[in-house]
Amino acid sequence: MRQWLFLLATVWVPGIALSQALQDINYSYLYQADAPFRFRMAPVRTAEGWYISYSLQVREGSAADYQVQWELREDLRDKEGTELHGDSTISVETSGQSHVAGTIHIPATVKGVLNARVIHIARKQVWYFPLPLREDYPVELAVEHDGQPLWDKYLVEGDMFSVGQPQGTFIVSLYTDDFPPAGPPFSEALARVPAVIRPDSTFRITSGQPQRLSASGLYLVQRDTASEKGVAFRVYADYPKYTKLENLVDPLTYVCTRQEIERLKNSRGDKRQFDRTVLNITGNSERAKNFMRSYFRRVEEANEFFGSYKEGWKTDRGMVYIILGRPTEVFRFEDREVWNYDTSHFKGTLSFARSSTLFDPDNYVLVRHKKYTTDWYEVIDLWRNSRF
């Protein structure tokens, strides 16, 4: 199996140009809901080095249609990198008709960017997935679910989790804080989050010991609570697709007035009253159906793409994705992610500054500006009239 990955990591595919700076690539495919495959990495940084679990889950065709190639680059500006070979650095754990999964080991002395290239052989198409090897990366342990790395940042009530590595005893803290949704792009004041949040409860687990999760909230797994390292994930009863009426209210805050939100909350699970409020917003039943269907499809996708220490729809990128849709272009730099839109309803650029935290090392915050005010309200009006 290891020899097979050696071929994946070193073969050159004719007709594919691979000499391109990583910061010049359009990464909009990262937020493509109907992408032909899903590629994910779960990095852990220890004193010995990096251990990166990866998974290629193919949705169209077969895993045999794709190749995964690995390289190291000095930074995102480099146009070429150093290929990784199939020795002790790379190992394949599983492979099948629709998936490939394995691990990468990078020594602690290595700096730069680990880049995965996923190539569709017949189409001669390549996708890039860079991972900056940052010294301040706060994840030093691996959380697992059903024997697999925790690919997503959430679990469902009743799920089991465990710590896969390293060996030892760990402290798990549960926070039940209800973090606020993102403020609009033109807002001068950010949504307020307490400077200090305290856990509602804690418990201990040992590595390899499965633990059932019975309460919703934000969980933080650490070796030491005084440390600035750990792994955070959320547990939900209804997520990422909302099926309970009461969970549909809060995500509508981006397109509804305060009075409308209050009326929706006062419906208290009464579908008739809820539907009447939505009908008053959109004007007729057909537009109401289209509005709810389109809007909550975006909410579900935002939850999948941007899940963090709070629900994906509450994040800055989640809010923009829901209202404006998938960006035309996405560019990634060391300190920010830039979204360009060139659509019929919005033309412009939004920047998200990387703001790493213990609860989310890949957290991004929107750079807000008053210039977005008019365009934003115009798009909200389109939503309320179900003109998407």
Side-chain angles (χ1 to χ4, degrees):
M1 190 66 70
R2 189 171 301 230
Q3 182 180 6
W4 173 69
L5 186 62
F6 175 80
L7 295 176
L8 292 187
T10 59
V11 68
W12 174 69
V13 181
I16 297 180
L18 300 176
S19 298
Q20 186 175 7
L22 296 175
Q23 68 178 22
D24 294 336
I25 292 168
N26 177 8
Y27 293 99
S28 63
Y29 53 80
L30 295 176
Y31 311 129
Q32 181 182 347
D34 60 348
F37 64 87
R38 190 173 188 186
F39 184 81
R40 293 177 289 184
M41 289 185 279
V44 175
R45 187 181 190 277
T46 69
E48 294 75 33
W50 289 81
Y51 296 87
I52 300 104
S53 300
Y54 68 91
S55 168
L56 173 68
Q57 189 70 39
V58 177
R59 296 165 173 165
E60 296 178 7
S62 166
D65 299 329
Y66 295 86
Q67 292 181 349
V68 182
Q69 300 181 357
W70 297 90
E71 64 174 359
L72 283 168
R73 299 198 188 189
E74 289 189 10
D75 55 44
L76 295 173
R77 296 167 296 181
D78 273 4
K79 292 187 176 181
E80 296 182 350
T82 302
E83 299 290 332
L84 294 182
H85 297 279
D87 49 22
S88 58
T89 301
I90 310 173
S91 65
V92 168
E93 294 176 348
T94 61
S95 64
Q97 184 174 354
S98 62
H99 76 279
V100 174
T103 58
I104 304 289
H105 174 236
I106 305 295
T109 54
V110 175
K111 314 295 181 185
V113 178
L114 174 68
N115 182 47
R117 297 191 300 256
V118 178
I119 298 174
H120 192 286
I121 304 168
R123 297 176 189 167
K124 297 181 180 179
Q125 188 174 0
V126 59
W127 297 263
Y128 294 79
F129 297 87
L131 174 67
L133 303 177
R134 307 198 312 260
E135 291 186 12
D136 62 347
Y137 198 74
V139 178
E140 63 173 355
L141 57 94
V143 172
E144 296 182 349
H145 169 56
D146 287 342
Q148 296 292 321
L150 184 61
W151 301 116
D152 300 303
K153 296 179 181 179
Y154 66 87
L155 290 171
V156 178
E157 281 187 10
D159 280 348
M160 306 277 284
F161 87 98
S162 62
V163 175
Q165 62 167 325
Q167 298 296 308
T169 301
F170 302 88
I171 302 171
V172 183
S173 302
L174 168 62
Y175 304 82
T176 59
D177 299 65
D178 187 19
F179 296 99
F186 53 84
S187 174
E188 293 183 339
L190 296 178
R192 294 296 180 186
V193 176
V196 177
I197 59 173
R198 302 188 184 282
D200 295 89
S201 62
T202 61
F203 59 90
R204 293 179 179 270
I205 62 171
T206 57
S207 51
Q209 172 194 349
Q211 176 72 39
R212 189 174 301 279
L213 298 161
S214 57
S216 293
L218 174 63
Y219 288 79
L220 177 64
V221 186
Q222 295 178 286
R223 215 196 285 249
D224 181 356
T225 55
S227 169
E228 295 183 356
K229 296 182 178 181
V231 173
F233 59 90
R234 289 198 71 94
V235 173
Y236 302 96
D238 190 32
Y239 193 86
K241 182 177 181 178
Y242 295 125
T243 59
K244 298 178 181 178
L245 191 64
E246 59 267 28
N247 291 333
L248 303 182
V249 178
D250 286 341
L252 290 169
T253 190
Y254 298 138
V255 293
C256 290
T257 65
R258 290 182 181 178
Q259 293 78 10
E260 289 165 346
I261 290 294
E262 284 303 314
R263 285 198 291 271
L264 290 169
K265 287 183 176 180
N266 289 336
S267 65
R268 302 183 186 281
D270 185 334
K271 190 174 185 305
R272 289 184 185 179
Q273 187 176 340
F274 184 96
D275 290 346
R276 278 197 300 270
T277 304
V278 175
L279 185 61
N280 289 335
I281 295 170
T282 58
N284 67 53
S285 59
E286 191 59 34
R287 285 208 297 262
K289 290 178 183 177
N290 290 336
F291 164 73
M292 292 295 289
R293 186 184 306 114
S294 300
Y295 191 83
F296 280 95
R297 184 186 304 117
R298 292 265 184 95
V299 169
E300 180 184 355
E301 291 168 1
N303 286 342
E304 289 281 9
F305 292 140
F306 309 111
S308 181
Y309 63 90
K310 58 183 179 180
E311 295 89 327
W313 71 265
K314 288 184 176 181
T315 66
D316 285 356
R317 289 184 298 175
M319 172 192 63
V320 173
Y321 179 89
I322 290 170
I323 300 303
L324 300 182
R326 184 163 70 101
T328 309
E329 295 177 321
V330 174
F331 296 102
R332 286 189 159 183
F333 302 90
E334 294 288 348
D335 60 345
R336 68 194 186 282
E337 190 169 287
V338 177
W339 291 15
N340 293 329
Y341 282 91
D342 186 9
T343 64
S344 59
H345 54 273
F346 182 77
K347 299 182 188 298
T349 298
L350 298 100
S351 294
F352 301 85
R354 184 168 64 83
S355 181
S356 180
T357 72
L358 170 61
F359 293 104
D360 184 2
D362 300 308
N363 184 52
Y364 285 84
V365 176
L366 175 63
V367 179
R368 288 167 167 79
H369 199 285
K370 280 191 171 294
K371 67 181 179 181
Y372 299 123
T373 304
T374 301
D375 288 340
W376 189 258
Y377 278 128
E378 288 179 352
V379 178
I380 297 300
D381 188 60
L382 290 176
W383 271 111
R384 291 174 63 85
N385 286 280
S386 191
R387 292 170 58 189
F388 272 87

